[in-house]
């Protein structure tokens, strides 16, 4: 079905979501001590937490174009570097303003990773294990939350909130290293940039030669069908694509799920 090396690379990428949730949730314990050290009022405490979400919105919106330009592997390395930089800035923050800025930087990486990991997994994994990979990706998110709480517990007796935050640099460094040394490129990105031989070799590595040829032929057929679309269909690009008939159902489902999660009050429990 696929060689061990490439399947290991797929599994390594799932860890990309681990630092996202570790970084996202560790603030819940650290804030108990930060508010005392920096004398934060209720508004300032809320802004330290919520500014990460604002950064995540920007990161998620901007990461797609960067991933298309730089490639999936290198965008992951960039996200890891931003995680490391934001973590260092937060752990060394001398006051409220710098801490908020650090959380904003971390939010950029959180949003970018959340937007780029699932497409990469779907592009790189064979269909036989694709569902398992995406399910385990969700498991890594939950595991990151659990580890964040364990880190908070480990440093709670000393009240060392800087150490709580600094621990997040460890998975971020692993993220950078795996992007450089372990992860394969995305076949879809390689094909889009004219690297057909490399794409075929990558697909064959996680499946077999016949499957690689079959998938490439199928992609060529889809591209030919797209080229035969009416000028009106081809003119719909960018944000307007979300309103087309073929995309609108997925958009509605996504919005309803996101709203349901927020109205369910899960953030009140986690934070």
């Amino acid at each position: 079905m696929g060689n061990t090396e490439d399947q290991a690379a797929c599994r390594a990428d799932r860890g990309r979501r681990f630092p996202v949730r570790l970084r996202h949730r560790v603030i819940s314990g650290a804030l108990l001590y930060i508010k005392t050290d920096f004398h934060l009022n209720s508004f300032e405490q809320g802004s330290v937490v919520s500014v990460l979400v604002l950064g995540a919105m920007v990161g998620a919106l901007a990461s797609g174009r960067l991933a298309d330009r730089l490639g999936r592997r290198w965008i992951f390395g960039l996200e890891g570097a931003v995680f490391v930089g934001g973590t260092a800035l937060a752990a060394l923050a001398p006051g409220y303003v710098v801490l908020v800025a650090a959380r904003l930087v971390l939010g950029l990486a959180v949003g970018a990773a959340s937007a780029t990991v699932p497409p990469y997994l779907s592009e790189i994994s064979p269909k036989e294990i694709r569902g398992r990979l995406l399910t385990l990706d969700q498991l890594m998110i939950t595991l990151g939350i659990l580890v964040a709480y364990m880190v908070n517990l480990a440093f709670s007796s000393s009240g060392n909130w800087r150490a709580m935050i600094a621990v997040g640099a460890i998975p971020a460094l692993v993220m950078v290293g795996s992007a450089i040394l372990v992860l394969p490129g995305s076949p879809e990105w390689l094909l889009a940039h004219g690297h057909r031989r490399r794409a075929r070799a990558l697909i064959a590595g996680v499946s077999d030669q016949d499957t690689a040829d079959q998938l490439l032929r199928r992609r060529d057929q889809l591209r030919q069908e797209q080229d035969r679309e009416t000028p009106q269909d081809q003119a719909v690009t960018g944000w307007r694509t979300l309103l087309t008939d073929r995309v609108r159902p997925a958009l509605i489902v996504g919005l309803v799920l996101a709203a349901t999660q927020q109205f369910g009050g899960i953030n009140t429990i986690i934070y």
Side-chain angles (χ1 to χ4, degrees), residues 208-225:
D208 53 57
Q209 301 289 342
D210 292 338
T211 301
D213 292 334
Q214 181 181 359
L215 291 176
L216 290 177
R217 286 195 300 269
R218 184 181 304 171
R219 183 181 186 275
D220 292 339
Q221 292 174 357
L222 291 174
R223 293 298 297 271
Q224 292 174 3
E225 293 175 2

Side-chain angles (χ1 to χ4, degrees), residues 136-186:
L136 288 173
D137 178 53
Q138 297 300 310
L139 178 61
M140 293 302 298
I141 293 175
T142 307
L143 182 61
I145 296 174
L146 174 62
V147 171
Y149 291 152
M150 294 176 64
V151 169
N152 290 339
L153 179 63
F155 292 101
S156 60
S157 59
S158 64
N160 190 348
W161 62 267
R162 297 184 186 275
M164 295 178 186
I165 294 175
V167 168
I170 297 174
L173 289 170
V174 173
M175 185 175 182
V176 175
S178 62
I180 296 174
L181 302 174
V182 178
L183 297 180
S186 163

Side-chain angles (χ1 to χ4, degrees), residues 191-203:
L191 289 169
H193 289 75
H195 304 296
R196 190 177 181 88
R197 286 187 178 180
R198 291 172 57 189
R200 183 185 181 281
L202 181 59
I203 297 172

Side-chain angles (χ1 to χ4, degrees), residues 64-115:
R65 291 185 180 274
L66 284 175
D68 289 341
R69 178 174 299 181
L70 300 177
R72 308 299 190 250
R73 286 180 58 197
W74 301 115
I75 193 66
F76 292 150
L78 179 60
E79 291 164 2
V82 174
F83 269 124
V84 173
T87 298
L89 187 62
L92 300 174
Y96 166 72
V97 175
V98 176
L99 181 59
V100 169
R103 292 280 294 170
L104 185 63
V105 171
L106 286 168
L108 295 174
V110 168
S114 298

Side-chain angles (χ1 to χ4, degrees), residues 1-264:
M1 181 164 71
N3 62 38
T4 304
E5 180 180 357
D6 285 326
Q7 291 189 15
C10 291
R11 291 194 295 269
D13 182 69
R14 293 196 309 273
R16 248 150 249 307
R17 300 300 284 274
F18 181 89
V20 170
R21 292 309 176 189
L22 176 62
R23 175 61 45 231
H24 205 174
R25 305 309 182 189
V26 75
I27 194 65
S28 62
L31 189 62
L32 298 174
Y33 309 100
I34 293 173
K35 67 179 182 180
T36 301
D37 286 357
F38 291 167
H39 307 289
L40 303 182
N41 57 37
S42 297
F43 172 81
E44 291 170 335
Q45 292 178 52
S47 61
V48 167
V49 174
S50 59
V51 73
L52 184 140
V53 179
L54 296 177
M57 292 171 59
V58 177
L61 289 171
S63 60
R65 291 185 180 274
L66 284 175
D68 289 341
R69 178 174 299 181
L70 300 177
R72 308 299 190 250
R73 286 180 58 197
W74 301 115
I75 193 66
F76 292 150
L78 179 60
E79 291 164 2
V82 174
F83 269 124
V84 173
T87 298
L89 187 62
L92 300 174
Y96 166 72
V97 175
V98 176
L99 181 59
V100 169
R103 292 280 294 170
L104 185 63
V105 171
L106 286 168
L108 295 174
V110 168
S114 298
T116 54
V117 170
Y120 174 80
L121 288 177
S122 65
E123 291 174 357
I124 194 63
S125 56
K127 64 180 181 180
E128 292 84 358
I129 63 172
R130 188 173 300 148
R132 278 177 285 168
L133 284 176
L134 293 173
T135 300
L136 288 173
D137 178 53
Q138 297 300 310
L139 178 61
M140 293 302 298
I141 293 175
T142 307
L143 182 61
I145 296 174
L146 174 62
V147 171
Y149 291 152
M150 294 176 64
V151 169
N152 290 339
L153 179 63
F155 292 101
S156 60
S157 59
S158 64
N160 190 348
W161 62 267
R162 297 184 186 275
M164 295 178 186
I165 294 175
V167 168
I170 297 174
L173 289 170
V174 173
M175 185 175 182
V176 175
S178 62
I180 296 174
L181 302 174
V182 178
L183 297 180
S186 163
E188 183 62 31
W189 186 87
L190 291 171
L191 289 169
H193 289 75
H195 304 296
R196 190 177 181 88
R197 286 187 178 180
R198 291 172 57 189
R200 183 185 181 281
L202 181 59
I203 297 172
V206 295
S207 55
D208 53 57
Q209 301 289 342
D210 292 338
T211 301
D213 292 334
Q214 181 181 359
L215 291 176
L216 290 177
R217 286 195 300 269
R218 184 181 304 171
R219 183 181 186 275
D220 292 339
Q221 292 174 357
L222 291 174
R223 293 298 297 271
Q224 292 174 3
E225 293 175 2
Q226 292 175 357
D227 292 339
R228 290 194 295 267
E229 289 181 348
T230 63
Q232 182 178 359
D233 293 333
Q234 292 179 345
V236 179
T237 58
W239 290 96
R240 290 179 296 176
T241 306
L242 295 175
L243 302 178
T244 59
D245 293 339
R246 61 187 178 88
V247 177
R248 191 184 299 116
L251 174 64
I252 293 174
V253 171
L255 292 175
V256 170
L257 285 175
T260 302
Q261 289 171 354
Q262 295 305 312
F263 289 133

